[in-house]
Amino acid sequence: MNCPFCGEDMKIGYIADSGDITWTPKGKKQHSIINLPKSYEVCLVKTNYFGKTKLKTYRCSQCKILLIDENDKSI
């Protein structure tokens, strides 16, 4: 994938966490119970049985940005 800002090739990697990975709107409170996001949140990855999560990302080393395709659950 090429960076939409500078056109450079983006590297595939992932963000890891020990809980859900959610997008929460600015000014709203993040949920505190695993696998129960609030109605205004977007759950990108739920915690698995082992308490680990990975979210595939594309990173541009030139622009220092990450892109996430919410439809792509592979990693």
Side-chain angles (χ1 to χ4, degrees):
M1 174 180 282
N2 291 334
C3 176
F5 297 100
C6 72
E8 292 293 316
D9 186 43
M10 299 183 82
K11 303 290 185 224
I12 297 174
Y14 61 89
I15 295 172
D17 198 354
S18 59
D20 300 338
I21 298 176
T22 58
W23 178 86
T24 306
K26 183 178 179 180
K28 297 286 189 175
K29 187 175 179 181
Q30 185 179 10
H31 71 285
S32 57
I33 301 174
I34 293 174
N35 289 331
L36 289 175
K38 299 190 184 253
S39 62
Y40 50 77
E41 291 183 299
V42 177
C43 186
L44 300 171
V45 180
K46 290 186 176 186
T47 302
N48 67 20
Y49 178 76
F50 300 106
K52 305 280 186 198
T53 55
K54 283 185 177 180
L55 178 62
K56 183 177 180 178
T57 61
Y58 298 85
R59 181 177 182 272
C60 176
S61 59
Q62 175 97 5
C63 297
K64 307 288 191 244
I65 64 164
L66 298 173
L67 293 180
I68 299 168
D69 180 354
E70 290 183 46
N71 296 311
D72 187 352
K73 302 297 183 187
S74 67
I75 185 78

